[in-house]
Each structure stands twice: as C-alpha cells, then as structure tokens.
Amino acid sequence: MPTTQAPPISFDDTAVAFASKSDAELRKMYALFAAMNNNVLVKTGGGLMKTALKWQLPGTKFLIKKSIFNQFCGGETIQECIPVIGELGRYQIGTILDYSVEGEGSDKSFDHTCDEILATIDLAHRSTHIPFSVFKVTGLADSALLEKVQAGKPLTAAEQTSYERAHARVDAICQRAHQYGVRVFVDAEESWFQETIDNLAYEMMRKYNRESAIVWNTYQLYRQDRLEAIKEAYADAKKDGYFLGGKLVRGAYMEKEARVAAQRGYPNPINPSKQATDDLYDEALRYCVSHVERISICAGTHNEASSRLLTELMQEYDLQPGDSRIWFAQLYGMSDNLSYNLAHAGYNTAKYVPYGPVDAVMPYLLRRADENTAIAGQSSREFLLIQKEIRRRQNR
C-alpha cells in the first residue's frame, strides 16, 4: 500500500480555479468566452482582426491587446510578462515563457530568437516562478533544411554552414540552461523533420543531462509511434548514463500531418481516433511514472482524465505531489480549473505564457479562439466553468 496520501482534488472547484480573478475580471472573461462560443463570430472576427492589423487601422492593436491578447498572452515583451509571472506565482503556479514569434527564415531572425530564448533562461535563473524555458527548433533553423537533413540528402556547402549555425544556437541555449540549472523544453513539430529535432534533443541530453533532466524533448502522442520513441529514448538514456526529460502532449498538427501524408503517399502517422490518442497518452504516462528513476515528465494537457490519472499514478508509486521529476502544464488563459486546483493541492504546475508583438502572435490567438468555439450547439467547458463561478459568487 502506498504511504503517500494525495490531497483531495476537484477540477470542478471554481472557487479555487478563479481565486485570482476579481468580479470585474470574471465578467470580462465571461464576455470574451461568450463571444468565442459563437462560431460565426470567431470565423469572421478573426479575418477582420487580421485585415485591420494589416491596414494598421487606428485602435485595432489596443482593442486586441485589451481582449483576447490579455486573456491568452503575457505581454509583448519579457518585461511586460513580469506582472503575470508574479500573479501566477502567488498561487504556486510557475510560468513557462514562450516566445511565440515565428522565424522569418534569415540568420538575423534566427539569431534574434536565440537571444530571446537566452533572455528567458536568464530571467528564470533569477526568478523562483519560472521552472522551464522553451524553444522551437524552427525558430533557430529553416524547416526545409531540417527536412533535408532528416531525408539524408547531401547538403550544399551553404546549407552545411547554416545547419552548423543552427546547431550552435541549440547548443548555446542548452549550455546556458545547464549553467543556470534551468530546465528547457524542445518543442515538437511536424513529423517530416521531427527526427532531426529528436536527434538534436538527445545529443543535448547526452551532454547536459548527466546530473538531472535539464533538456526535455516533447512527444506528440497523437502519433502512433511516440510511445515506442519514448521507450527507445529511455533505453538509450539508461545505456549512456543520462537522464531523460519528456513533455507529453497530444499534438498540434493533425490536419497538416494527414494532408502531407496523403500528398506524399505514405500512411498517416496520426492515431485513427481521439480515443486511440487518449489511450496512448495515458499509456505513456504509466510508462514514464514506472521509470521515474530516469525519466522526468511534464504532462502538457488540458485533459482532466489524464491529469487525474497522473495524480493517481503518483500515489500508486508513492511519489509526493511536489516530486521535482513530475510536472503538469496548461496554456495561460485556459483550464484554470486544472492549473489552480493542482497547484492548490501541492502538485508542480506551470502555465505556458506566450508573448510577442500583437500582430506576430495573431495565428496563436486565433487557434485559441477556435479551440474555445462551441461544438454542435454546446457551450465550451471554459464558458460553463466561468458561468458556474459567477453564480457561486452571486449566491454567497
């Protein structure tokens, strides 16, 4: 029998979930999520916002920043994110600063992104509220080059130089993270160059994860082969004597993966159903927790069942809620019922907090709006929880 007794936790406890929100802030959230529950409004509004920004219509940026941007982003700069970091920290929730600006394909833009990631690591080193930094390899290198490397095609001299520069940027970030003891996530991307990213991540792990998991790779469990990838990575880590860090997510490029697979004539790598993905995700959680002596994990998920399963697995394996090898993470502005209740119960919890210029993060914001759109006439989970908390406060 496990000796660790997990504290009671309810993901329906809106008093805890929205403890940081004033009545006025809650009403503002209600209005925003009510708008996002209107499918037609989201589709037309997104297009209008992009057009207004392109034409630089007066007041557009201000309106976006005061509404959807403030809900899902920390600010336009690292400095603007400082109040958000402090506010989350008050509730024992860490911040993962995510520079959400896509590279422009030039060495200048890649170098700028690298400098920005290094700045987040420097801030994490000085802050008790930033447990991770994060980067996308495509922010540091051209995706076509990464794809060519994965395909095993010979590189031109110029391409070889570009790849060496990209490798140096990745190494500089991981070296700084190791120097300061700051964990860093390497985000997952599209399958046709993910193997290149994996190889870079594992190379960095062999170099910097000798004492603990500093560099963490990301596994998209909507891919049928990702649990096997985790098992192979574990075997390599055990053999070579380093620690494996793994962020488990469901995945972000489903339609694109299916489309490219059809165009190129190979089997779709994505699971055939959402249930299959859910099952594989939970199986991956079980595997990682059962090998926690060498695998540190972050469950990057908004799924309540998977989050609850991880708390149960921790209890089964007699792991304290605050065990430094196990983390939960959600996106800023979403699933506060998970984040705040997990943190309140003592679990290591963090929010992904995107930041960057308003026009540059518009693709990210429109994806968040689309995710929160009503399905088949039903209100989104977020909207229902906000309604519940407003009623609770009214009846106090």
Side-chain angles (χ1 to χ4, degrees):
M1 288 290 290
T3 57
T4 300
Q5 289 299 311
I9 184 168
S10 169
F11 294 141
D12 292 319
D13 189 338
T14 58
V16 172
F18 299 110
S20 68
K21 305 298 181 188
S22 67
D23 289 351
E25 288 170 328
L26 201 61
R27 285 194 295 272
K28 183 178 177 182
M29 285 177 65
Y30 176 87
L32 180 63
F33 279 94
M36 287 190 294
N37 264 268
N38 186 319
N39 189 37
V40 175
L41 187 61
V42 168
K43 298 298 182 189
T44 57
L48 289 172
M49 281 192 288
K50 285 193 287 187
T51 301
L53 281 171
K54 183 179 179 180
W55 290 350
Q56 297 182 333
L57 296 182
T60 302
K61 181 178 171 181
F62 176 82
L63 289 172
I64 294 172
K65 195 167 182 179
K66 290 297 181 182
S67 56
I68 190 171
F69 183 90
N70 275 2
Q71 177 65 30
F72 298 116
C73 296
E76 292 194 83
T77 64
I78 291 177
Q79 197 61 36
E80 282 188 16
C81 295
I82 299 295
V84 171
I85 295 166
E87 179 65 19
L88 289 171
R90 282 182 56 211
Y91 294 89
Q92 289 72 56
I93 297 173
T95 291
I96 305 165
L97 287 173
D98 183 12
Y99 183 55
S100 297
V101 177
E102 297 177 3
E104 297 169 2
S106 67
D107 275 328
K108 182 180 178 181
S109 73
F110 295 145
D111 286 340
H112 174 73
T113 298
C114 183
D115 290 341
E116 195 72 27
I117 306 308
L118 291 171
T120 68
I121 294 172
D122 292 345
L123 181 60
H125 173 55
R126 302 192 303 270
S127 172
T128 58
H129 301 316
I130 307 178
F132 295 91
S133 287
V134 62
F135 68 94
K136 278 185 167 64
V137 174
T138 51
L140 309 172
D142 184 73
S143 60
L145 177 60
L146 299 174
E147 184 178 356
K148 193 170 183 180
V149 170
Q150 179 162 317
K153 295 178 181 177
L155 303 182
T156 66
E159 288 171 336
Q160 185 62 40
T161 299
S162 293
Y163 186 71
E164 287 169 3
R165 285 181 184 145
H167 184 280
R169 294 181 192 108
V170 171
D171 189 60
I173 289 168
C174 296
Q175 191 279 330
R176 183 78 59 88
H178 179 261
Q179 177 187 347
Y180 285 156
V182 174
R183 309 171 191 89
V184 61
F185 291 135
V186 182
D187 265 348
E189 304 192 54
E190 289 90 340
S191 62
W192 47 94
F193 55 86
Q194 181 60 45
E195 186 180 322
T196 308
I197 294 170
D198 289 343
N199 290 337
L200 283 168
Y202 297 140
E203 180 187 345
M204 296 300 124
M205 286 188 202
R206 281 190 290 273
K207 193 172 181 179
Y208 298 115
N209 285 16
R210 293 290 165 179
E211 299 87 22
S212 64
I214 292 293
V215 180
W216 298 44
N217 200 17
T218 303
Y219 301 93
Q220 300 188 106
L221 272 305
Y222 68 177
R223 279 184 56 178
Q224 300 174 37
D225 63 350
R226 287 301 87 183
L227 178 54
E228 286 307 311
I230 294 171
K231 291 179 178 179
E232 290 174 11
Y234 168 77
D236 288 342
K238 187 176 182 180
K239 179 182 176 183
D240 290 351
Y242 63 88
F243 293 90
L244 177 65
K247 175 161 64 84
L248 310 186
V249 300
R250 276 170 167 76
Y253 309 99
M254 188 165 68
E255 291 82 6
K256 191 174 184 181
E257 289 281 358
R259 184 173 67 251
V260 172
Q263 289 170 350
R264 299 186 181 183
Y266 62 79
N268 187 350
I270 306 302
N271 282 312
S273 66
K274 182 181 183 302
Q275 187 60 54
T277 294
D278 290 344
D279 291 345
L280 194 63
Y281 189 95
D282 291 349
E283 191 178 347
L285 287 179
R286 293 187 182 93
Y287 179 82
C288 290
V289 174
S290 70
H291 294 84
V292 75
E293 81 287 345
R294 191 163 295 275
I295 304 179
S296 295
I297 62 167
C298 175
T301 181
H302 293 198
N303 186 286
E304 294 182 19
S306 294
S307 299
R308 188 173 302 284
L309 172 63
L310 183 50
T311 67
E312 293 167 352
L313 288 168
M314 291 177 71
Q315 187 166 1
E316 179 184 339
Y317 284 87
D318 206 16
L319 301 171
Q320 295 291 334
D323 191 300
S324 63
R325 297 167 295 183
I326 300 181
W327 284 80
F328 298 79
Q330 292 81 39
L331 297 173
Y332 182 64
M334 292 175 63
S335 297
D336 286 348
N337 64 311
L338 296 183
S339 308
Y340 282 81
N341 279 295
L342 284 164
H344 184 70
Y347 293 95
N348 296 320
T349 310
K351 285 284 199 185
Y352 254 68
V353 178
Y355 74 95
V358 171
D359 52 349
V361 300
M362 274 307 298
Y364 174 85
L365 293 175
L366 294 176
R367 285 198 297 274
R368 298 293 80 79
D370 196 49
E371 284 176 8
N372 284 282
T373 300
I375 300 170
Q378 298 177 356
S379 295
S380 72
R381 173 73 163 147
E382 302 285 348
F383 187 51
L384 293 172
L385 288 166
I386 294 166
Q387 284 181 317
K388 180 181 176 182
E389 175 59 9
I390 288 174
R391 286 195 299 269
R392 188 194 69 81
R393 294 187 185 189
Q394 290 172 341
N395 295 331
R396 277 187 302 204

